[in-house]
Amino acid sequence: MPSSTTRSESQNTRTAAKQPPAAPAMKVSAEAKNEQHVQTEEEGPAARIRGGCIPCPLLSPYGSRLASNPRNNPSLPKNLVGRLPSDLHLLILSHLPVHDFPAYALCSHATSALAYDDSIWQKRWNALGVEKNGFGATLDDVEAHQKGQVAASRAAAPPTIPVDDDFGDFATVDVLQPKPDEMGDFVGGFDALAATAKPLQVPLAFAPAPKDTFRNKFIRAYNLLKPLLRHLSSPPHLILSQFGSVASPSLRSQAKLFHLLALFLSEAIRPVKKYDVLALALRSAMDRFDASLLSAFDVADGKGDEATMKEAAESSWELWDGAGDWEMGKVWAEKREIFYQHGWKPLDNITKNGLDFTPMDEFMSQILAAVSEHGARAVRIFPPPAQVLIAFADRVANEVVGEYITSLLERAREVSTAMFLQATAACFRVSWKMVDTLMVAAQEREDSEITRTKAEDVIYRMFEVNMDEYLDEEVEYLKLVFDNICKSWDRQMAEKATSNSTTRFLSAHNPAQVKRNVLTSFTNVLLLPVTIVPRTVNAVGGALITGGSAAVQGIAMLNPQRWAGGTGGAAGGAADGGAYSKNFEKEGNGSMLFEADVDNDDDEENDRKTVATFTSDTSTLATSMTESARKNGKDSDTTTNQLDLLLSLDVALELIHADREALKRVEAFAGYPGHYGHRVRDTIEELFILMLQTLGERHVTKGFAQATERMTEYKPAEHEETTSVAPLVQFFELVHLGDMIQSMVQVYFDKELAPHIDKTDFLNAIVREKKRFENALDESVAGGLNAGALFSLNRPSQVEHIILTQTKPREYYPPEDTPLDLGPTKACTEAINCLEKHCKLLKGSTSKEVLEVFYQEIGIRLIAILQKHIKRQIISLNGGFQVIADLNTYHAFISSLKVQAIASDFSHLKMLGHVYVVEDAKDLAQIVRDVTRYGGAYRPEDIYEFIQRRSDWKKIEKVVDKTMYNLSFKEDCVIC
């Protein structure tokens, strides 16, 4: 010590010699020191910590006390311990091993006070998991055991006589049972520090009770567990025997003690320096104990002792560290006999006639029975977090059910794609029964933690290996089915090229009501369940689609083409070529009627009412067409008399049916999560889009294009019939069929597709394709209506043909002695009848806007025809009244269409007829000059052309010219 003192003094002397004389400001007076001391004592330990006034050999270098004082340097933070913030010290303490705490606390009073911060000990207390894992009883058992050992050691110790010595208070320390706030070997180590450095003061509102602090709880657990670590230096078999006397003799208590010690020796706590070595020794002992538990579990399993099995399982789960599979649950599942049964024959489900899943039903009944029995026991004996039931179900699904399904699907794939698709959906549907069985087994325990989502994931994981191939084949096969349906229809059209056509919708008294009835029945058919799992041979034939050749009978019979005729056959199959047959009771055999809204009390009376509802109303147009065809005895035109057959509800129904069958199969997988869930939803959209594209491009648009082309080739002058235009009648029937197809697509979309998509999302692929289909149909109808208007009203058109052929030579120039008949002429009546029937055909099949456009086009072109017709005639005064009668009739017909634009034009045309009944030439000239009389529709020059058709025009020409133009040839004209 003297030598060290001499070295320090000499060093200080050399340092002082090198430094300049101390400034007066560096001297601190006694009064200042006393004042500073008083202020520090008033502020308490916290102020001393912040001010750094307590010397710290590790954290405060020599001579830095004044520089680090916040009062001398206001720019420094106030909450400092030495030169570091207190938060940084707390962060260091939170990661510091427990065995290094005394050394850190001995650095200074400030660091000693920080060691009392409860947040540091809360982290370590939580790492022990006492509340989380229920280790409170284990600590109590250890404490009781240690108290018993202390009492026994004191009773065995010899008596002592108290003698005063120089050690003072150290003689009162109990080494075997230290104070609650001391840790192990550091007995009494914090007493001296606690006397000089108190912990940081916490507000009373937040200060926990002294005995309930996390520090005190951790110190108690530390003092109880640390003495047990000395046993870990023994071999594993001795460790088990030594720990067996510490805790309760039950397996669960011993397992909890091992678990608690494993957490105590973890990286988060590190109670001693060689904690990692001790942790390895503890793990070896735990593995040995776990092996004994597994042996006890097997013995109990053989006896059926579920109580012992449950205790062993819970104890083993307590020891499991979470790495890999839990051995006990895995071994139990491997010993179930369901994995070793044989004799199942998956190929028995494939018969000569198709699929029959009766063998698979028997197979699944055995699987479900095993899952129910063993699964219920697993729930009862194993801890809920172990999820042994789900692991067992996974193995059953993959190793037993999965292999059975794989063999079945491979064979079905070799037979046909259709069988593979149906077998895939059917296998998934049958396998889904395991979900309900698992949920029933999970009810054996309220806290089983088995949710339906976990049970469903078992089947989803099992079936993932089949999903890619299935979804790809579903789309490709549906394309093939659609192609076969369209090709079959094209062949039928070629075979029906010489058959007579029959109207269906147009022959009804109320086509709109008929379509509503059809849609109602179509909706009811869509709501019928689809058979996914075939269990009989008959069901297989109805469920499989072979080349799209036939739809389900209930859907196919919705076709109105089947209503016309005696046998209810295909389109055009009516024996008499009529519309709705009145002899259903006699003809029968497949005729399809739709039920009216009547009560079901009397079946016979209801049948009669139903037949009367749909058979008594036959259109006059259809009757006249049928009678005309019979009189002629031959087709009017083999190329234009087939327009109504260019579209077929049969084809639309078959396409919808094929798409619905595929959709229902894919819908079985609609709940798939993750990647395959997105693929399933994309496939559903793709199937519907394929149906719309095929129906629109290869049937509807194609049919309307052919109809429009044929209408433009029609020549009315070559046909004797004048009251109607056959192609236009058939085209209107085609419009009704197109509207019916669009309505069925809408119903199908609302019932089947709407649940899978957002109908308000205009960017959705289905919504966009559906809109494109509707626009294409509207454009096709508009193009056909335009062609119909062209050949109905343009030269050589049907209306003009009627007017030309039916107008007599002297219709408007009758002899003087002929009595006047102020009714319309025959030509006028026939032309209006033709137009009226054609206009009525379109009602109920298109929107009001389209009707108005069509009616307006008819009115405009009819005016042009009438103007030309009048300019070709010679009209007398008496004939003028006949012209007015005809124009009034035309005006009344146009007014009935309720289109204001063309009604006003015909009103002006009607006023124009007055120029033929005015006798005085001057009055006639004034009428011609009055342009306001015709609403500006006709100029004087236009009216001048009309009055030139008067029979007395040569007589009144000069007077009219002179009055109109103030001309006088004798006065104004000089001939040179």
Side-chain angles (χ1 to χ4, degrees):
M1 293 302 293
S3 61
S4 62
T5 304
T6 304
R7 283 196 303 269
S8 62
E9 290 177 354
S10 61
Q11 184 178 2
N12 293 336
T13 303
R14 289 194 301 269
T15 304
K18 293 179 181 180
Q19 293 177 350
M26 295 299 296
K27 297 181 179 180
V28 182
S29 64
E31 292 80 2
K33 290 182 179 180
N34 294 334
E35 181 181 357
Q36 182 180 0
H37 176 72
V38 172
Q39 186 178 4
T40 305
E41 291 296 333
E42 291 178 355
E43 293 178 355
R48 292 198 301 273
I49 295 172
R50 290 193 302 269
C53 61
I54 299 177
C56 179
L58 296 180
L59 301 177
S60 181
Y62 179 79
S64 62
R65 185 186 308 173
L66 294 177
S68 61
N69 194 330
R71 287 189 288 269
N72 298 328
N73 190 358
S75 62
L76 294 176
K78 294 182 179 181
N79 194 13
L80 292 177
V81 176
R83 293 183 177 182
L84 300 178
S86 60
D87 293 341
L88 184 58
H89 286 275
L90 293 177
L91 181 62
I92 295 173
L93 288 172
S94 64
H95 295 281
L96 196 68
V98 173
H99 59 81
D100 288 336
F101 261 73
Y104 191 93
L106 288 173
C107 292
S108 68
H109 288 281
T111 56
S112 176
L114 288 176
Y116 281 84
D117 191 283
D118 218 31
S119 63
I120 303 172
W121 302 105
Q122 181 181 3
K123 178 181 178 181
R124 288 166 174 79
W125 175 253
N126 293 335
L128 280 177
V130 176
E131 286 88 357
K132 178 181 178 181
N133 299 311
F135 292 148
T138 305
L139 291 175
D140 294 340
D141 291 344
V142 175
E143 185 176 16
H145 173 72
Q146 291 184 0
K147 286 182 179 180
Q149 286 184 342
V150 170
S153 64
R154 287 178 179 175
T160 59
I161 298 175
V163 178
D164 293 337
D165 53 20
D166 296 335
F167 290 99
D169 294 338
F170 290 100
T172 62
V173 175
D174 190 352
V175 179
L176 297 177
Q177 189 176 8
K179 295 180 181 180
D181 60 344
E182 296 175 347
M183 293 189 292
D185 299 335
F186 304 101
V187 175
F190 291 100
D191 287 346
L193 293 175
T196 57
K198 299 180 181 179
L200 292 175
Q201 299 295 325
V202 183
L204 296 178
F206 301 94
K211 294 184 180 180
D212 294 336
T213 62
F214 292 106
R215 179 176 181 274
N216 291 338
K217 292 179 181 179
F218 180 80
I219 290 177
R220 173 178 177 264
Y222 184 94
N223 291 332
L224 292 175
L225 297 177
K226 188 173 183 297
L228 301 179
L229 300 181
R230 64 177 181 271
H231 300 304
L232 298 178
S233 59
S234 304
H237 64 282
L238 294 179
I239 294 176
L240 294 179
S241 61
Q242 291 171 358
F243 277 106
S245 61
V246 174
S248 299
S250 66
L251 299 176
R252 187 178 293 107
S253 299
Q254 296 181 31
K256 282 187 173 293
L257 178 59
F258 279 118
H259 189 192
L260 179 58
L261 285 173
L263 295 175
F264 184 64
L265 294 174
S266 64
E267 182 73 20
I269 297 177
R270 292 175 286 178
V272 293
K273 292 183 178 179
K274 297 182 178 181
Y275 74 96
D276 51 350
V277 177
L278 297 176
L280 292 176
L282 178 64
R283 173 49 57 186
S284 299
M286 292 172 65
D287 293 340
R288 191 177 186 89
F289 182 65
D290 192 23
S292 65
L293 291 176
L294 183 58
S295 178
F297 181 87
D298 290 338
V299 173
D301 188 14
K303 297 179 180 179
D305 185 2
E306 292 190 3
T308 304
M309 294 171 65
K310 182 178 180 180
E311 183 180 11
E314 291 179 349
S315 302
S316 178
W317 179 256
E318 194 76 34
L319 299 176
W320 186 51
D321 58 357
D325 296 330
W326 183 39
E327 191 67 20
M328 184 169 290
K330 183 179 180 181
V331 171
W332 173 85
E334 288 179 351
K335 292 184 178 181
R336 300 310 99 189
E337 61 275 7
I338 189 66
F339 298 110
Y340 309 104
Q341 293 181 0
H342 301 283
W344 296 311
K345 299 180 180 179
L347 302 184
D348 290 348
N349 296 278
I350 302 177
T351 63
K352 295 180 179 179
N353 297 322
L355 290 175
D356 183 4
F357 266 43
T358 303
M360 187 168 187
D361 290 337
E362 298 175 356
F363 163 75
M364 285 303 301
S365 63
Q366 300 181 35
I367 296 298
L368 297 179
V371 171
S372 178
E373 177 187 356
H374 301 303
R377 174 171 292 184
V379 172
R380 291 193 299 267
I381 65 177
F382 290 107
Q387 298 289 290
V388 176
L389 175 60
I390 298 299
F392 172 68
D394 270 327
R395 290 199 59 182
V396 172
N398 292 311
E399 298 181 10
V400 182
V401 181
E403 292 182 1
Y404 186 96
I405 291 176
T406 300
S407 301
L408 174 58
L409 295 183
E410 287 178 355
R411 178 56 182 163
R413 186 72 175 86
E414 295 174 358
V415 175
S416 67
T417 304
M419 182 176 290
F420 168 76
L421 297 177
Q422 191 191 14
T424 304
C427 289
F428 183 82
R429 185 65 61 86
V430 174
S431 303
W432 194 256
K433 295 179 180 179
M434 285 185 61
V435 176
D436 298 329
T437 304
L438 291 175
M439 296 308 300
V440 173
Q443 295 176 1
E444 292 288 328
R445 190 168 178 170
E446 294 182 357
D447 59 342
S448 62
E449 300 182 8
I450 303 295
T451 62
R452 188 169 185 86
T453 300
K454 294 180 180 179
E456 292 176 353
D457 288 342
V458 172
I459 307 301
Y460 287 140
R461 286 191 295 267
M462 175 196 70
F463 227 83
E464 281 184 356
V465 296
N466 305 308
M467 289 303 297
D468 287 322
E469 182 182 7
Y470 166 72
L471 294 177
D472 293 338
E473 289 294 337
E474 193 71 72
V475 175
E476 295 301 324
Y477 179 70
L478 190 62
K479 292 180 181 178
L480 179 62
V481 171
F482 287 164
D483 184 65
N484 291 340
I485 293 175
C486 294
K487 289 182 178 179
S488 176
W489 171 249
D490 293 339
R491 288 193 299 268
Q492 293 178 19
M493 287 298 299
E495 295 173 359
K496 294 178 182 178
T498 58
S499 62
N500 291 330
S501 70
T502 58
T503 58
R504 276 86 56 186
F505 285 107
L506 297 181
S507 57
H509 180 70
N510 189 350
Q513 181 62 37
V514 173
K515 285 193 285 189
R516 284 194 294 269
N517 294 334
V518 174
L519 287 178
T520 300
S521 299
F522 177 72
T523 304
N524 294 335
V525 171
L526 281 180
L527 296 177
L528 294 177
V530 176
T531 301
I532 299 297
V533 182
R535 291 187 174 85
T536 60
V537 177
N538 293 333
V540 175
L544 288 176
I545 304 175
T546 57
S549 59
V552 170
Q553 183 179 3
I555 297 181
M557 289 305 297
L558 293 176
N559 194 344
Q561 294 174 344
R562 299 179 181 273
W563 312 340
T567 60
D576 56 354
Y580 295 104
S581 173
K582 299 182 179 181
N583 300 319
F584 284 99
E585 296 180 359
K586 295 181 180 180
E587 295 167 356
N589 297 329
S591 297
M592 182 65 181
L593 296 178
F594 296 102
E595 297 181 359
D597 296 331
V598 293
D599 298 332
N600 295 325
D601 298 334
D602 189 353
D603 295 338
E604 294 182 358
E605 183 179 357
N606 293 341
D607 291 340
R608 289 193 296 270
K609 290 180 179 180
T610 302
V611 172
T613 302
F614 294 100
T615 59
S616 60
D617 299 326
T618 304
S619 173
T620 305
L621 173 63
T623 304
S624 62
M625 288 182 61
T626 303
E627 292 177 355
S628 175
R630 289 176 177 175
K631 290 179 181 179
N632 294 335
K634 60 180 180 178
D635 297 335
S636 58
D637 195 319
T638 58
T639 59
T640 59
N641 201 24
Q642 306 292 323
L643 299 186
D644 54 344
L645 296 181
L646 294 175
L647 289 185
S648 171
L649 287 184
D650 269 332
V651 174
L653 290 169
E654 286 186 13
L655 292 174
I656 293 176
H657 170 70
D659 189 76
R660 182 170 181 259
E661 286 289 334
L663 178 64
K664 288 302 179 182
R665 289 194 295 266
V666 179
E667 274 185 352
F669 308 92
Y672 241 104
H675 166 70
Y676 288 105
H678 291 291
R679 281 214 60 191
V680 168
R681 287 185 287 275
D682 292 342
T683 303
I684 290 175
E685 295 182 0
E686 188 174 0
L687 294 178
F688 186 73
I689 291 174
L690 282 175
M691 189 273 293
L692 289 179
Q693 292 176 347
T694 305
L695 182 60
E697 298 174 2
R698 300 190 60 179
H699 189 65
V700 175
T701 305
K702 180 180 178 182
F704 273 104
Q706 293 178 358
T708 303
E709 181 181 357
R710 293 183 185 182
M711 280 194 299
T712 57
E713 299 174 356
Y714 180 74
K715 298 178 180 179
E718 299 178 0
H719 303 271
E720 299 180 1
E721 181 65 43
T722 59
T723 58
S724 64
V725 183
L728 188 58
V729 174
Q730 295 162 11
F731 181 80
F732 285 141
E733 176 65 29
L734 206 65
V735 173
H736 281 285
L737 289 175
D739 182 63
M740 190 74 242
I741 291 174
Q742 181 178 350
S743 300
M744 289 191 300
V745 170
Q746 183 65 44
V747 170
Y748 178 54
F749 172 79
D750 293 335
K751 296 296 181 181
E752 302 292 351
L753 274 300
H756 300 285
I757 65 170
D758 181 9
K759 295 191 295 184
T760 61
D761 183 11
F762 63 92
L763 295 178
N764 183 270
I766 288 182
V767 176
R768 288 187 298 167
E769 188 63 32
K770 179 173 172 290
K771 187 65 176 177
R772 194 174 74 88
F773 170 78
E774 294 171 351
N775 292 338
L777 179 59
D778 292 341
E779 292 176 1
S780 299
V781 172
L785 292 179
N786 182 61
L790 284 173
F791 81 75
S792 295
L793 299 173
N794 282 349
R795 177 188 285 282
S797 66
Q798 186 72 15
V799 173
E800 188 171 8
H801 176 71
I802 293 173
I803 294 176
L804 289 176
T805 56
Q806 300 296 328
T807 302
K808 298 178 181 179
R810 301 193 63 175
E811 194 78 70
Y812 302 120
Y813 189 18
E816 295 294 334
D817 56 349
T818 303
L820 293 177
D821 183 9
L822 298 182
T825 60
K826 181 180 179 181
C828 176
T829 304
E830 292 292 334
I832 291 178
N833 287 338
C834 177
L835 292 174
E836 189 174 18
K837 291 173 183 177
H838 291 160
C839 290
K840 289 182 178 180
L841 293 176
L842 202 58
K843 289 184 179 180
S845 62
T846 186
S847 62
K848 182 179 179 181
E849 292 77 9
V850 175
L851 282 176
E852 289 182 355
V853 172
F854 183 68
Y855 292 161
Q856 187 173 0
E857 190 69 21
I858 287 179
I860 293 174
R861 300 187 183 189
L862 180 59
I863 285 181
I865 291 175
L866 294 178
Q867 289 176 351
K868 294 179 181 179
H869 179 63
I870 293 175
K871 292 179 180 179
R872 285 194 296 261
Q873 306 299 318
I874 298 177
I875 305 172
S876 63
L877 291 177
N878 291 337
F881 292 101
Q882 188 64 55
V883 172
I884 293 176
D886 287 349
L887 294 179
N888 289 338
T889 305
Y890 286 119
H891 177 264
F893 163 70
I894 293 298
S895 299
S896 66
L897 300 181
K898 298 180 181 180
V899 181
Q900 184 62 32
I902 58 175
S904 59
D905 293 340
F906 272 84
S907 177
H908 300 149
L909 180 63
K910 181 180 67 173
M911 294 295 297
L912 186 61
H914 294 167
V915 300
Y916 298 109
V917 295
V918 177
E919 296 184 9
D920 187 79
K922 294 182 179 181
D923 294 339
L924 179 61
Q926 294 298 328
I927 292 175
V928 173
R929 294 180 61 181
D930 187 7
V931 294
T932 60
R933 183 182 182 89
Y934 309 102
Y938 298 100
R939 300 174 299 173
E941 294 80 3
D942 299 330
I943 303 175
Y944 190 82
E945 294 180 4
F946 284 102
I947 63 176
Q948 290 180 355
R949 308 315 302 168
R950 289 174 59 111
S951 59
D952 57 350
W953 173 245
K954 294 300 182 181
K955 297 180 181 179
I956 64 174
E957 180 179 5
K958 295 181 180 180
V959 178
V960 171
D961 292 340
K962 181 179 180 180
T963 305
M964 287 184 62
Y965 305 110
N966 294 322
L967 296 177
S968 176
F969 294 105
K970 295 182 179 179
E971 299 175 358
D972 299 336
C973 297
V974 178
I975 300 175
C976 299

